[in-house]
Amino acid sequence: MSESVILVTGGSGLVGKAIEWVIENDKSERFGKRPGEKWIFLTSKDGDLRKPDETKAIFEKYKPTHVIHLAALVGGLFKNMKYKLDFLRENLLINDNVLEFSKQYGVKKVVSCLSTCIFPDKTTYPIDETMVHNGPPHESNFGYAHGKRLIDVQNHAYHEQFGCNFTSVIPTNVFGPHDNYSLEDSHVLPGLTHKCYLAKKNGTPFIVGGTGKPLRQFIYSRDLAKLFIWTLREYTEIDPIILSVGEKDEVSIKDVADAIVKAVGFDGDYSFDTSRADGQYKKTASNEKLMKYLPDFEFTPFDQAVQESVQWFVENFDTVRK
């Protein structure tokens, strides 16, 4: 049997590290490493994917048979609003190089990572995969959102013109070990984890911005990693698939903060600053398509996943991204 070489771009990020963990630790046939597979986890040190010559050198060196494409220029709300062209242009360049060299080097399958922010701002809920191009994305991050949307457009064009098997997935809010824990520019769960840890350490109050009422679907990075591996091996459509817990598993920001308080072991003063804006109340995505394919998939219970993530953060506090 010829060797499969699976190249993972963005291999040092939240999702890349989770895929590496599952490949090394999961012993099941469905999700674990299989005989004859060689997994390569790229980081930015391996080359700049915005540059065609450096991207080509990576493909020439590793000659991948499969690609999981996670690399992207990402940032929080403030950065997205300020640098719209950068987020559009740099992601276009990265995606174009990865997909074009995947075609040139005869890669059998590419799975790219999209984001729920690509969906139209004005929409009905729950959102599903058919709605991606139904209207403009939210004004605040239209650069990043259009850059990601175009992966779906390119996947279909490469398939129709060249028969390429390029597809994409749309995860909801991902969290887990190796996240970005910046207090200024991170997502809600890692940001609150860092904040609560400092409140405990310094004996100060833990104050959460907003009312705590907005609802979100969170997916543990190691669950998402298994679903990425399944998508690479078994999902046959070009159209994207939403990878998420179900609508019934939506949790409020207060639920998130409660789980973090418990996991950190914080017993100080804990409150919500209701003068701070809440953001969108809900962004519910449907996981119906995923459940048709994988009805028995077991997601890690939210509290357990938060516990594992917080424990990892505390143990690695000195070296985490913050």
Side-chain angles (χ1 to χ4, degrees):
M1 175 181 146
S2 62
E3 187 180 61
S4 291
V5 179
I6 300 113
L7 188 71
V8 181
T9 72
S12 62
L14 171 63
V15 182
K17 280 290 183 191
I19 293 173
E20 187 174 25
W21 188 91
V22 170
I23 284 300
E24 286 173 2
N25 294 283
D26 194 295
K27 300 300 174 224
S28 71
E29 158 73 14
R30 187 163 226 172
F31 304 118
K33 187 177 181 179
R34 291 180 177 175
E37 282 185 347
K38 183 179 175 190
W39 288 76
I40 313 266
F41 293 87
L42 292 181
T43 72
S44 50
K45 293 185 189 78
D46 291 293
D48 186 340
L49 296 173
R50 294 170 297 188
K51 297 177 177 165
D53 53 338
E54 294 193 27
T55 310
K56 184 176 185 183
I58 288 168
F59 276 77
E60 186 57 45
K61 179 178 177 181
Y62 294 112
K63 304 214 165 42
T65 56
H66 300 76
V67 173
I68 291 180
H69 175 37
L70 308 171
L73 175 69
V74 295
L77 181 67
F78 173 72
K79 270 193 183 166
N80 264 291
M81 288 170 76
K82 194 173 176 188
Y83 303 109
K84 284 177 182 161
L85 182 71
D86 293 1
F87 277 95
L88 175 64
R89 189 159 182 268
E90 298 199 12
N91 285 307
L92 286 175
L93 293 170
I94 292 168
N95 301 337
D96 190 55
N97 287 331
V98 169
L99 294 177
E100 176 58 21
F101 287 111
S102 291
K103 185 208 86 176
Q104 287 186 23
Y105 280 80
V107 170
K108 291 175 189 167
K109 186 160 179 183
V110 179
V111 179
S112 296
C113 191
L114 309 185
S115 156
T116 48
C117 75
I118 67 173
F119 285 107
D121 179 35
K122 307 260 185 296
T123 186
T124 54
Y125 294 97
I127 305 162
D128 69 40
E129 293 84 355
T130 65
M131 300 177 183
V132 172
H133 303 286
N134 284 0
H138 194 271
E139 169 64 22
S140 64
N141 62 358
F142 82 79
Y144 178 77
H146 278 298
K148 284 289 190 184
R149 262 189 200 191
L150 277 164
I151 291 179
D152 178 51
V153 177
Q154 286 174 291
N155 285 347
H156 281 277
Y158 273 109
H159 180 68
E160 286 179 26
Q161 195 171 333
F162 298 105
C164 299
N165 189 4
F166 296 175
T167 190
S168 60
V169 302
I170 308 172
T172 46
N173 299 275
V174 192
F175 71 97
H178 300 277
D179 211 332
N180 171 9
Y181 296 89
S182 154
L183 292 169
E184 298 301 316
D185 200 43
S186 66
H187 292 118
V188 61
L189 201 146
L192 288 179
T193 299
H194 189 177
K195 207 171 170 182
C196 187
Y197 174 79
L198 293 179
K200 181 184 177 182
K201 199 170 150 186
N202 302 328
T204 51
F206 175 45
I207 301 165
V208 181
T211 64
K213 288 176 183 166
L215 300 171
R216 295 290 180 268
Q217 286 156 299
F218 288 92
I219 182 164
Y220 188 35
S221 58
R222 289 171 181 174
D223 292 343
L224 177 62
K226 289 178 180 177
L227 294 172
F228 254 103
I229 294 160
W230 168 81
T231 304
L232 184 73
R233 291 170 175 169
E234 300 184 45
Y235 180 67
T236 54
E237 297 180 40
I238 303 300
D239 281 330
I241 184 167
I242 291 169
L243 302 181
S244 176
V245 298
E247 215 174 323
K248 66 177 191 328
D249 296 310
E250 264 184 322
V251 294
S252 71
I253 300 304
K254 183 179 185 306
D255 295 332
V256 173
D258 287 348
I260 289 168
V261 163
K262 187 175 152 198
V264 169
F266 177 76
D267 54 11
D269 189 24
Y270 157 42
S271 62
F272 290 82
D273 177 2
T274 53
S275 69
R276 296 276 305 278
D278 265 341
Q280 230 171 314
Y281 175 63
K282 63 187 285 175
K283 304 178 178 181
T284 317
S286 166
N287 75 345
E288 208 173 291
K289 183 172 178 178
L290 174 64
M291 288 298 101
K292 278 186 187 137
Y293 279 107
L294 279 178
D296 300 326
F297 185 79
E298 286 182 25
F299 291 95
T300 307
F302 181 68
D303 280 8
Q304 182 192 330
V306 171
Q307 182 69 50
E308 289 177 17
S309 304
V310 168
Q311 191 179 335
W312 183 89
F313 170 75
V314 172
E315 286 168 5
N316 296 277
F317 182 75
D318 294 335
T319 54
V320 299
R321 283 187 288 168
K322 56 180 189 289

